[in-house]
Amino acid sequence: MNKVKLVSVVLLMIVVFALSGCNQSSREVSADGSVSTIAPVEEIKYAFRYPDRLTEHFEKHGLEMGFGSEEEYLIAANAVIANPDALHELEAEDNDHVYFVEATGEIVFLSQDGYIRTYFITDKEYFERQAA
């Protein structure tokens, strides 16, 4: 192998190695063309109380939202909670946290003891009714 090829391979390996350790976010594009940031896997802080609840909600909402796995659905729910642009209210019914991203219509309900109750797409009117 000549020196140019060797240097190219070494540089490529360095770039791949450096990027593999980066804490980069993914981007999710919704049907209307809006883009939301998905938190890196290392950022998962909140989960559903029981694994079967995650499966149930993923099958009900995650698939229609275009997620390919329960993990992607959970990562995106955490990204909504962590999003500084998300609106936040306490639910009138049981004082749970409700996070809503106006740009994407994403809404997450988080129990007072820190478990995700659900995550789906809705409108701002629905979000506002939760705090009424």
Side-chain angles (χ1 to χ4, degrees):
M1 187 182 288
N2 68 33
K3 284 185 177 182
V4 173
K5 284 185 179 178
L6 180 60
V7 169
S8 297
V9 169
V10 169
L11 287 174
L12 179 61
M13 289 174 56
I14 291 170
V15 168
V16 169
F17 178 77
L19 290 177
S20 68
C22 288
N23 196 7
Q24 295 179 335
S25 298
S26 301
R27 295 214 173 257
E28 180 73 24
V29 180
S30 65
D32 68 356
S34 59
V35 177
S36 64
T37 302
I38 298 177
V41 173
E42 296 82 23
E43 297 285 324
I44 292 178
K45 181 176 180 179
Y46 301 102
F48 283 78
R49 188 177 305 272
Y50 305 107
D52 64 324
R53 297 287 184 189
L54 171 58
T55 300
E56 175 186 322
H57 285 269
F58 169 71
E59 290 173 354
K60 184 175 182 182
H61 304 296
L63 292 173
E64 67 187 24
M65 293 169 73
F67 294 107
S69 70
E70 292 179 3
E71 181 182 31
E72 288 177 8
Y73 177 70
L74 187 59
I75 290 168
N78 273 267
V80 170
I81 295 167
N83 187 333
D85 295 327
L87 303 176
H88 175 253
E89 295 285 346
L90 293 178
E91 187 180 29
E93 183 180 327
D94 53 17
N95 218 33
D96 284 351
H97 298 272
V98 185
Y99 297 88
F100 178 71
V101 179
E102 287 184 275
T104 61
E106 295 168 285
I107 191 167
V108 176
F109 289 76
L110 184 71
S111 67
Q112 281 291 321
D113 56 351
Y115 290 98
I116 296 171
R117 287 184 31 226
T118 192
Y119 166 47
F120 57 93
I121 301 293
T122 190
D123 57 37
K124 189 171 182 183
E125 289 177 21
Y126 179 85
F127 167 73
E128 290 171 342
R129 284 194 310 267
Q130 302 312 302

